[in-house]
Amino acid sequence: MKITNAKLLVALASLSLALTACKENYFVEEKYDELLIRSFPVGSVNPNHTWAVFGSTTLQAHVNGDSGKKYRVAVYQEDPLTASYVTLLASSEAVGGQTAVLHFSYLLAQPTVYVACRDENSHQVVMSRKVVNGETIDLSFAGTEDGTAATAQEHSNTYRFCFEDQFPHPGDYDFNDCVITVNPVVSGKNVTVRVVLNAVGTNKQIAAAMRIKGLLPDAVVAGTNTFVDYAASYESMRYVTPVMNDKGETFFYVNPETGLGKDARGNQINDLVVSLFNDAHWAMSKADAGGNNQYMHAYFYNTMDKRLAGDERGRIATPTVITLTMTLDSEEHAQLFNDIMNYDMFVIEKYSNRLWEVHTYPFKFDQVLKEYENYTDKLTPYISNPTKNYPWALLVPGTFLYPNEWQSICGYSNTTGSETKNTKTAYKMFRSWAINPGSVVEEVKQWYLKENIEDIQLVWQ
């Protein structure tokens, strides 16, 4: 993305030495920190911020009903006894006398979950529990004889990944350069993941892949990928494959013979990695290609205010849907897909003549693809600097309305030296959350809600 603030452009020119990490053994940490702090819309980011909106937990539900009788244990975000529609976080089948084990993620701002045990006659008993991130919930159901009829309609949860490009260079922080929504559905050993490319807010080529942390490729017994970019075959699910875009360019490649890269701690990555698309512009709208796909227009898709739909730079396009179906070798492995914190969704983009991976903060410095290993020495300075936790990607609820093109996620109110920038704010509480992630103020904890948008014209609807 382009940075349009004139003063900032001057600052970037004067601080250009900070980005000469592309030269051997040369990195000016102080200048890079100054550049990031000056560019980010919040001037006092909490140095321990993890940018986490979701937490993870495990449920052990002991079903002490009739022996041999089938039950369904489900976890909801809302109370199914009082709500008409409920968000399903995880579910599993169990037989009386057995224990159902479920892994799932939940909103940190809504730590109370509702666990229902339902029998074959749709009678259910519901218990509520307050979740502590990382801890196991242990509870027992005596049976469902005194249960009530299950009437609430359930829907699976959705999650949205919002990316900046240009890493490790600062962006414009509209977090719309690539927007991807994920909707996982787990049933026994079967998993369906609906991946939607919602928006492309950059003119650069961007590719994307999805890693499931803790899941070995061999755990996938069978799988298909419906996107026309790839053959609907098991092998295409197991490894990132060499795929060329419309211009004949191979953007990334992992050889199954040599494996993947390493995480930020130097550990070998052996997880399942699924390639999604090689060129976001091509994936979003092949109809905009000139001739017979000989040239791809790098428009801004679904990021410019709809009132500017006629602007030659912007286009409104139908989001691209990629449906991944998998059969796992066990229900335990399938349950990993219920926890969004296991998803390392990342994009690959080119900056300063190199390819870089852009991850959400938990995986920010992992180098998943094999060919990135030789950039470890180039990445190390960014890992060690004081601004190492500044984000280039956010994971938020699937209903999140991302900012319009060039609209910072929270506007600017950042005084650095003699420079002060003030612009309109999209999410008025993002700044407070960036400064104090442990705030108990509900508006701050739920900064991503539509109700906390200062000006509805600043976000894409």
Side-chain angles (χ1 to χ4, degrees):
M1 290 301 305
K2 296 178 180 177
I3 300 176
T4 56
N5 185 287
K7 292 183 179 179
L8 182 55
L9 288 175
V10 174
L12 294 181
S14 65
L15 296 173
S16 61
L17 285 178
L19 295 176
T20 54
C22 56
K23 294 182 179 179
E24 292 298 323
N25 303 317
Y26 193 80
F27 178 82
V28 183
E29 181 178 294
E30 295 79 7
K31 292 294 184 180
Y32 182 69
D33 288 335
E34 183 181 347
L35 175 64
L36 274 188
I37 293 170
R38 185 184 295 272
S39 305
F40 200 70
V42 181
S44 303
V45 172
N46 187 299
N48 299 313
H49 209 314
T50 64
W51 310 98
V53 169
F54 298 96
S56 302
T57 192
T58 299
L59 166 69
Q60 294 183 157
H62 309 285
V63 181
N64 299 318
D66 297 338
S67 179
K69 189 175 180 179
K70 293 181 180 180
Y71 296 88
R72 179 177 184 254
V73 177
V75 186
Y76 300 107
Q77 189 169 287
E78 301 83 14
D79 187 349
L81 298 179
T82 58
S84 299
Y85 298 91
V86 290
T87 305
L88 177 67
L89 303 180
S91 68
S92 181
E93 303 295 327
V95 176
Q98 293 184 344
T99 298
V101 180
L102 293 82
H103 305 284
F104 62 94
S105 52
Y106 66 97
L107 283 166
L108 292 172
Q110 299 179 37
T112 299
V113 298
Y114 300 86
V115 185
C117 181
R118 182 185 305 177
D119 63 24
E120 295 169 304
N121 299 315
S122 291
H123 291 142
Q124 66 178 0
V125 174
V126 179
M127 297 184 185
S128 63
R129 287 293 185 274
K130 189 170 183 178
V131 183
V132 177
N133 190 24
E135 294 190 4
T136 298
I137 306 171
D138 199 305
L139 51 79
S140 297
F141 289 96
T144 55
E145 290 79 8
D146 299 325
T148 58
T151 59
Q153 296 183 38
E154 62 183 43
H155 62 88
S156 54
N157 214 351
T158 59
Y159 310 89
R160 182 159 284 177
F161 293 85
C162 301
F163 294 92
E164 278 290 303
D165 63 1
Q166 301 213 116
F167 177 77
H169 192 286
D172 56 2
Y173 302 107
D174 52 17
F175 288 98
N176 68 16
D177 296 338
C178 187
V179 180
I180 298 173
T181 303
V182 174
N183 172 217
V185 176
V186 178
S187 178
K189 297 180 183 180
N190 299 314
V191 175
T192 300
V193 183
R194 188 173 185 266
V195 181
V196 180
L197 173 60
N198 301 97
V200 185
T202 180
N203 55 15
K204 297 170 62 175
Q205 183 183 355
I206 281 191
M210 182 178 72
R211 163 192 170 204
I212 304 300
K213 188 169 184 270
L215 183 70
L216 294 176
D218 289 342
V220 181
V221 177
T224 60
N225 182 338
T226 62
F227 192 41
V228 295
D229 246 356
Y230 303 93
S233 68
Y234 166 49
E235 286 303 320
S236 70
M237 295 291 298
R238 289 166 56 86
Y239 300 99
V240 180
T241 51
V243 177
M244 286 186 278
N245 67 0
D246 59 290
K247 291 172 281 189
E249 300 170 339
T250 300
F251 204 40
F252 61 93
Y253 173 68
V254 169
N255 186 340
E257 299 292 325
T258 57
L260 302 173
K262 295 181 179 180
D263 64 21
R265 292 158 298 285
N267 300 317
Q268 183 66 43
I269 293 174
N270 298 307
D271 305 317
L272 173 74
V273 178
V274 180
S275 54
L276 296 174
F277 50 81
N278 198 50
D279 187 323
H281 295 99
W282 184 81
M284 178 62 83
S285 183
K286 303 183 202 66
D288 280 327
N292 56 354
N293 282 357
Q294 295 303 306
Y295 177 75
M296 180 55 51
H297 297 291
Y299 293 128
F300 296 110
Y301 288 109
N302 300 341
T303 65
M304 299 191 74
D305 190 308
K306 293 184 180 180
R307 293 171 299 177
L308 303 176
D311 189 303
E312 64 179 12
R313 298 168 296 178
R315 291 291 186 277
I316 297 174
T318 301
T320 296
V321 178
I322 305 168
T323 302
L324 309 171
T325 60
M326 285 166 271
T327 300
L328 283 297
D329 60 1
S330 70
E331 290 191 24
E332 181 182 1
H333 283 145
Q335 285 285 330
L336 292 173
F337 287 86
N338 281 325
D339 186 352
I340 196 62
M341 300 306 288
N342 292 326
Y343 289 65
D344 177 15
M345 180 76 71
F346 61 98
V347 299
I348 304 97
E349 47 99 20
K350 185 174 287 187
Y351 176 76
S352 188
N353 241 1
R354 280 195 175 88
L355 296 177
W356 299 81
E357 295 177 5
V358 184
H359 299 258
T360 52
Y361 181 71
F363 310 105
K364 179 177 176 181
F365 298 113
D366 288 1
Q367 298 171 85
V368 176
L369 300 185
K370 181 70 175 180
E371 70 176 79
Y372 294 91
E373 263 193 273
N374 59 0
Y375 295 144
T376 298
D377 58 330
K378 306 300 186 297
L379 196 57
T380 298
Y382 303 101
I383 296 174
S384 61
N385 72 306
T387 53
K388 63 183 179 182
N389 71 324
Y390 277 47
W392 271 258
L394 296 173
L395 168 58
V396 287
T399 54
F400 178 76
L401 302 177
Y402 54 86
N404 282 327
E405 198 62 53
W406 303 302
Q407 172 58 51
S408 167
I409 194 167
C410 68
Y412 281 85
S413 181
N414 179 2
T415 302
T416 305
S418 60
E419 180 181 12
T420 302
K421 297 168 289 193
N422 293 288
T423 63
K424 290 184 178 180
T425 293
Y427 285 89
K428 59 186 178 183
M429 291 298 167
F430 180 86
R431 178 174 293 105
S432 298
W433 182 64
I435 296 170
N436 182 17
S439 173
V440 296
V441 178
E442 289 301 319
E443 276 190 322
V444 176
K445 290 193 294 184
Q446 302 185 77
W447 65 269
Y448 45 79
L449 294 181
K450 183 176 180 180
E451 291 77 7
N452 288 327
I453 296 173
E454 186 170 78
D455 186 344
I456 199 68
Q457 299 296 328
L458 303 180
V459 296
W460 183 263
Q461 301 176 71

